[in-house]
Amino acid sequence: MENLPSILTPDLGLLFWMLLAFIVVFFVVAKYGFPAIIGMVEERKKYIDESLKKAHEASEKLANIQKEGESMLQEARQKQAQILKEAADTRDAIVSQAQEKAREEGNRLIAEARTEIESQKQAAISEIRAQVAELSVKVAEKILRKELSSEDKQMETIDRLLDEVAVEDKK
């Protein structure tokens, strides 16, 4: 073992001073370095825990927001369906009212037309009767002039008319 270099086989004095330096450095690091390192690690752990907690809360909030969004979307769809149904019902009601009004108006116009036709018919009948009466009077007048042109014919016509009136009275 004598041939080994001194770096691999340190002597006892060197080991003592190295051990003493290690212990001094260890105590200094243990007294000042480890608490600072542990404090920073604890602080970092606390920050990470808070960040995880906040991330979890944010995730829950996001899930709640998504649920609320879905429920609001579902509610909006239901309201849309309800509004469309109400609009269709209103449209149907308006159409049926318009049809009913059109029927009533049609019936009223037909009734008015019938009344107008009846009144025009009555007016035409009255006019025709008046014309027939006028023609009858003119024809009768011409016949009477012809028949009553002489006194004998006048007396004969009066006797005949009196006989007819007497026969009608007996009935």
Side-chain angles (χ1 to χ4, degrees):
M1 285 212 195
E2 305 250 346
N3 295 352
L4 293 172
S6 66
I7 195 156
L8 294 176
T9 58
D11 63 5
L12 202 54
L14 180 63
L15 267 168
F16 172 75
W17 288 112
M18 283 178 55
L19 183 64
L20 184 64
F22 177 75
I23 290 173
V24 169
V25 170
F26 179 76
F27 281 119
V28 169
V29 169
K31 184 162 176 117
Y32 298 109
F34 284 150
I37 291 171
I38 290 173
M40 287 179 10
V41 167
E42 288 294 322
E43 197 176 304
R44 179 74 175 158
K45 181 182 181 267
K46 187 190 219 184
Y47 175 76
I48 290 171
D49 288 343
E50 286 178 13
S51 294
L52 287 173
K53 183 180 175 186
K54 287 179 182 176
H56 183 64
E57 288 175 0
S59 175
E60 287 178 358
K61 284 181 182 178
L62 181 61
N64 287 338
I65 289 172
Q66 285 177 339
K67 287 179 184 176
E68 287 177 16
E70 288 173 9
S71 67
M72 290 173 69
L73 185 62
Q74 184 64 26
E75 185 179 328
R77 286 180 181 150
Q78 289 173 349
K79 284 184 180 180
Q80 178 187 16
Q82 181 181 359
I83 288 171
L84 288 174
K85 183 181 180 295
E86 289 175 0
D89 292 344
T90 303
R91 180 200 66 215
D92 292 343
I94 290 172
V95 167
S96 65
Q97 285 177 354
Q99 288 174 342
E100 184 62 31
K101 284 183 180 179
R103 274 190 220 105
E104 290 173 3
E105 184 67 17
N107 290 340
R108 185 185 66 80
L109 289 174
I110 289 171
E112 286 179 3
R114 285 182 180 157
T115 305
E116 181 67 24
I117 289 170
E118 186 63 30
S119 67
Q120 287 181 2
K121 178 181 168 184
Q122 293 300 327
I125 289 173
S126 295
E127 188 178 325
I128 289 171
R129 283 184 181 166
Q131 288 176 357
V132 167
E134 185 179 328
L135 284 175
S136 298
V137 168
K138 287 182 180 178
V139 168
E141 180 183 337
K142 287 186 180 188
I143 291 172
L144 283 175
R145 279 190 191 158
K146 186 177 179 186
E147 285 190 16
L148 297 178
S149 57
S150 66
E151 220 173 280
D152 290 337
K153 286 184 180 179
Q154 286 178 4
M155 289 309 287
E156 182 184 313
T157 303
I158 290 174
D159 287 340
R160 186 176 38 111
L161 289 174
L162 287 175
D163 289 342
E164 285 177 9
V165 169
V167 170
E168 285 180 14
D169 284 340
K170 288 183 184 179
K171 289 182 182 178

Short mmCIF file of all heavy atoms in Angstrom, two decimals, residues 77-106:
data_model
loop_
_atom_site.label_atom_id
_atom_site.label_comp_id
_atom_site.label_asym_id
_atom_site.label_seq_id
_atom_site.Cartn_x
_atom_site.Cartn_y
_atom_site.Cartn_z
N ARG A 77 -83.95 27.19 -24.62
CA ARG A 77 -84.59 26.37 -25.66
C ARG A 77 -86.06 26.12 -25.32
O ARG A 77 -86.92 26.14 -26.20
CB ARG A 77 -83.84 25.05 -25.80
CG ARG A 77 -82.52 25.19 -26.49
CD ARG A 77 -81.80 23.86 -26.61
NE ARG A 77 -80.50 24.03 -27.26
CZ ARG A 77 -79.47 23.27 -27.02
NH1 ARG A 77 -79.56 22.26 -26.18
NH2 ARG A 77 -78.33 23.49 -27.65
N GLN A 78 -86.32 25.85 -24.03
CA GLN A 78 -87.71 25.62 -23.63
C GLN A 78 -88.54 26.88 -23.84
O GLN A 78 -89.66 26.82 -24.33
CB GLN A 78 -87.77 25.17 -22.16
CG GLN A 78 -87.26 23.77 -21.92
CD GLN A 78 -87.18 23.42 -20.44
OE1 GLN A 78 -87.32 24.28 -19.58
NE2 GLN A 78 -86.96 22.15 -20.16
N LYS A 79 -87.96 28.03 -23.46
CA LYS A 79 -88.68 29.28 -23.66
C LYS A 79 -88.90 29.55 -25.15
O LYS A 79 -89.97 30.01 -25.54
CB LYS A 79 -87.92 30.45 -23.02
CG LYS A 79 -88.05 30.50 -21.52
CD LYS A 79 -87.36 31.73 -20.96
CE LYS A 79 -87.51 31.75 -19.44
NZ LYS A 79 -86.85 32.93 -18.85
N GLN A 80 -87.88 29.25 -25.96
CA GLN A 80 -88.01 29.43 -27.40
C GLN A 80 -89.13 28.54 -27.94
O GLN A 80 -89.96 28.99 -28.73
CB GLN A 80 -86.70 29.10 -28.09
CG GLN A 80 -86.76 29.22 -29.60
CD GLN A 80 -85.49 28.72 -30.27
OE1 GLN A 80 -84.69 28.03 -29.67
NE2 GLN A 80 -85.31 29.09 -31.52
N ALA A 81 -89.14 27.27 -27.49
CA ALA A 81 -90.20 26.36 -27.94
C ALA A 81 -91.56 26.87 -27.49
O ALA A 81 -92.54 26.82 -28.24
CB ALA A 81 -89.94 24.95 -27.40
N GLN A 82 -91.63 27.36 -26.25
CA GLN A 82 -92.90 27.88 -25.74
C GLN A 82 -93.34 29.11 -26.53
O GLN A 82 -94.51 29.24 -26.90
CB GLN A 82 -92.74 28.24 -24.26
CG GLN A 82 -94.01 28.77 -23.61
CD GLN A 82 -93.80 29.14 -22.15
OE1 GLN A 82 -92.72 28.99 -21.62
NE2 GLN A 82 -94.83 29.63 -21.52
N ILE A 83 -92.39 30.00 -26.82
CA ILE A 83 -92.72 31.21 -27.58
C ILE A 83 -93.17 30.84 -28.99
O ILE A 83 -94.15 31.40 -29.51
CB ILE A 83 -91.51 32.18 -27.61
CG1 ILE A 83 -91.32 32.79 -26.22
CG2 ILE A 83 -91.69 33.27 -28.65
CD1 ILE A 83 -90.02 33.59 -26.08
N LEU A 84 -92.48 29.87 -29.60
CA LEU A 84 -92.88 29.44 -30.95
C LEU A 84 -94.27 28.81 -30.91
O LEU A 84 -95.08 29.04 -31.81
CB LEU A 84 -91.86 28.45 -31.50
CG LEU A 84 -90.50 29.03 -31.91
CD1 LEU A 84 -89.54 27.92 -32.30
CD2 LEU A 84 -90.67 30.03 -33.03
N LYS A 85 -94.55 28.03 -29.86
CA LYS A 85 -95.88 27.41 -29.74
C LYS A 85 -96.94 28.49 -29.55
O LYS A 85 -98.00 28.45 -30.17
CB LYS A 85 -95.89 26.44 -28.56
CG LYS A 85 -97.20 25.70 -28.40
CD LYS A 85 -97.16 24.77 -27.18
CE LYS A 85 -98.44 24.03 -27.01
NZ LYS A 85 -99.58 24.86 -26.69
N GLU A 86 -96.64 29.47 -28.67
CA GLU A 86 -97.59 30.56 -28.46
C GLU A 86 -97.80 31.35 -29.75
O GLU A 86 -98.92 31.75 -30.08
CB GLU A 86 -97.09 31.48 -27.35
CG GLU A 86 -97.17 30.87 -25.97
CD GLU A 86 -96.55 31.74 -24.89
OE1 GLU A 86 -96.06 32.85 -25.21
OE2 GLU A 86 -96.57 31.32 -23.73
N ALA A 87 -96.71 31.57 -30.50
CA ALA A 87 -96.83 32.30 -31.77
C ALA A 87 -97.68 31.51 -32.75
O ALA A 87 -98.52 32.08 -33.46
CB ALA A 87 -95.45 32.57 -32.36
N ALA A 88 -97.47 30.18 -32.80
CA ALA A 88 -98.28 29.35 -33.70
C ALA A 88 -99.73 29.37 -33.26
O ALA A 88 -100.64 29.46 -34.11
CB ALA A 88 -97.74 27.91 -33.71
N ASP A 89 -99.98 29.29 -31.94
CA ASP A 89 -101.36 29.34 -31.45
C ASP A 89 -102.00 30.69 -31.79
O ASP A 89 -103.15 30.75 -32.22
CB ASP A 89 -101.40 29.11 -29.94
CG ASP A 89 -101.02 27.69 -29.55
OD1 ASP A 89 -101.02 26.81 -30.45
OD2 ASP A 89 -100.72 27.45 -28.37
N THR A 90 -101.23 31.76 -31.59
CA THR A 90 -101.75 33.09 -31.90
C THR A 90 -102.03 33.21 -33.39
O THR A 90 -103.07 33.75 -33.79
CB THR A 90 -100.72 34.16 -31.47
OG1 THR A 90 -100.45 34.00 -30.08
CG2 THR A 90 -101.24 35.55 -31.72
N ARG A 91 -101.10 32.69 -34.21
CA ARG A 91 -101.31 32.73 -35.66
C ARG A 91 -102.57 31.96 -36.05
O ARG A 91 -103.40 32.44 -36.82
CB ARG A 91 -100.10 32.13 -36.38
CG ARG A 91 -100.23 32.13 -37.89
CD ARG A 91 -99.31 31.16 -38.56
NE ARG A 91 -99.70 29.81 -38.19
CZ ARG A 91 -98.86 28.81 -38.01
NH1 ARG A 91 -97.58 29.00 -38.15
NH2 ARG A 91 -99.29 27.62 -37.67
N ASP A 92 -102.73 30.77 -35.45
CA ASP A 92 -103.92 29.96 -35.76
C ASP A 92 -105.19 30.69 -35.32
O ASP A 92 -106.19 30.68 -36.04
CB ASP A 92 -103.83 28.59 -35.07
CG ASP A 92 -102.72 27.73 -35.66
OD1 ASP A 92 -102.25 28.05 -36.78
OD2 ASP A 92 -102.33 26.75 -34.99
N ALA A 93 -105.12 31.32 -34.13
CA ALA A 93 -106.29 32.06 -33.64
C ALA A 93 -106.61 33.22 -34.57
O ALA A 93 -107.78 33.46 -34.91
CB ALA A 93 -106.03 32.56 -32.22
N ILE A 94 -105.58 33.94 -35.01
CA ILE A 94 -105.80 35.09 -35.90
C ILE A 94 -106.36 34.61 -37.23
O ILE A 94 -107.29 35.21 -37.79
CB ILE A 94 -104.48 35.88 -36.09
CG1 ILE A 94 -104.12 36.60 -34.79
CG2 ILE A 94 -104.59 36.85 -37.24
CD1 ILE A 94 -102.75 37.24 -34.82
N VAL A 95 -105.82 33.50 -37.75
CA VAL A 95 -106.31 32.96 -39.02
C VAL A 95 -107.76 32.53 -38.89
O VAL A 95 -108.60 32.84 -39.75
CB VAL A 95 -105.42 31.78 -39.49
CG1 VAL A 95 -106.07 31.00 -40.61
CG2 VAL A 95 -104.06 32.30 -39.94
N SER A 96 -108.09 31.85 -37.77
CA SER A 96 -109.47 31.39 -37.60
C SER A 96 -110.40 32.58 -37.42
O SER A 96 -111.52 32.59 -37.94
CB SER A 96 -109.58 30.42 -36.42
OG SER A 96 -109.29 31.07 -35.21
N GLN A 97 -109.94 33.63 -36.70
CA GLN A 97 -110.76 34.83 -36.55
C GLN A 97 -110.97 35.50 -37.90
O GLN A 97 -112.08 35.95 -38.22
CB GLN A 97 -110.10 35.81 -35.58
CG GLN A 97 -110.19 35.41 -34.13
CD GLN A 97 -109.44 36.38 -33.22
OE1 GLN A 97 -108.76 37.28 -33.69
NE2 GLN A 97 -109.59 36.18 -31.93
N ALA A 98 -109.90 35.57 -38.68
CA ALA A 98 -110.02 36.19 -40.00
C ALA A 98 -110.97 35.39 -40.89
O ALA A 98 -111.79 35.97 -41.62
CB ALA A 98 -108.64 36.31 -40.66
N GLN A 99 -110.87 34.05 -40.82
CA GLN A 99 -111.78 33.22 -41.60
C GLN A 99 -113.22 33.41 -41.15
O GLN A 99 -114.13 33.52 -41.99
CB GLN A 99 -111.38 31.74 -41.47
CG GLN A 99 -110.11 31.38 -42.21
CD GLN A 99 -109.67 29.96 -41.95
OE1 GLN A 99 -110.11 29.33 -40.99
NE2 GLN A 99 -108.80 29.45 -42.81
N GLU A 100 -113.41 33.48 -39.83
CA GLU A 100 -114.77 33.68 -39.30
C GLU A 100 -115.31 35.04 -39.74
O GLU A 100 -116.46 35.15 -40.16
CB GLU A 100 -114.76 33.57 -37.77
CG GLU A 100 -116.12 33.66 -37.14
CD GLU A 100 -117.06 32.55 -37.57
OE1 GLU A 100 -116.61 31.42 -37.86
OE2 GLU A 100 -118.28 32.81 -37.63
N LYS A 101 -114.46 36.07 -39.65
CA LYS A 101 -114.90 37.40 -40.09
C LYS A 101 -115.22 37.40 -41.58
O LYS A 101 -116.18 38.03 -42.01
CB LYS A 101 -113.83 38.45 -39.78
CG LYS A 101 -113.79 38.83 -38.33
CD LYS A 101 -112.77 39.92 -38.08
CE LYS A 101 -112.74 40.29 -36.62
NZ LYS A 101 -111.75 41.33 -36.32
N ALA A 102 -114.39 36.69 -42.37
CA ALA A 102 -114.64 36.62 -43.81
C ALA A 102 -115.96 35.90 -44.08
O ALA A 102 -116.73 36.33 -44.95
CB ALA A 102 -113.48 35.88 -44.50
N ARG A 103 -116.21 34.81 -43.32
CA ARG A 103 -117.50 34.12 -43.50
C ARG A 103 -118.67 35.04 -43.15
O ARG A 103 -119.65 35.12 -43.88
CB ARG A 103 -117.55 32.87 -42.60
CG ARG A 103 -116.94 31.66 -43.23
CD ARG A 103 -117.23 30.40 -42.40
NE ARG A 103 -116.02 29.61 -42.39
CZ ARG A 103 -115.18 29.46 -41.37
NH1 ARG A 103 -115.45 30.03 -40.23
NH2 ARG A 103 -114.09 28.75 -41.48
N GLU A 104 -118.53 35.72 -41.99
CA GLU A 104 -119.60 36.64 -41.58
C GLU A 104 -119.81 37.73 -42.61
O GLU A 104 -120.95 38.07 -42.96
CB GLU A 104 -119.27 37.25 -40.21
CG GLU A 104 -119.35 36.26 -39.06
CD GLU A 104 -118.86 36.86 -37.75
OE1 GLU A 104 -118.51 38.06 -37.72
OE2 GLU A 104 -118.84 36.12 -36.75
N GLU A 105 -118.70 38.30 -43.11
CA GLU A 105 -118.79 39.37 -44.10
C GLU A 105 -119.41 38.83 -45.39
O GLU A 105 -120.25 39.48 -46.02
CB GLU A 105 -117.40 39.97 -44.38
CG GLU A 105 -117.40 41.13 -45.32
CD GLU A 105 -118.08 42.36 -44.78
OE1 GLU A 105 -118.30 42.46 -43.56
OE2 GLU A 105 -118.44 43.23 -45.61
N GLY A 106 -119.00 37.61 -45.79
CA GLY A 106 -119.59 36.99 -46.98
C GLY A 106 -121.08 36.77 -46.81
O GLY A 106 -121.87 37.07 -47.72
#
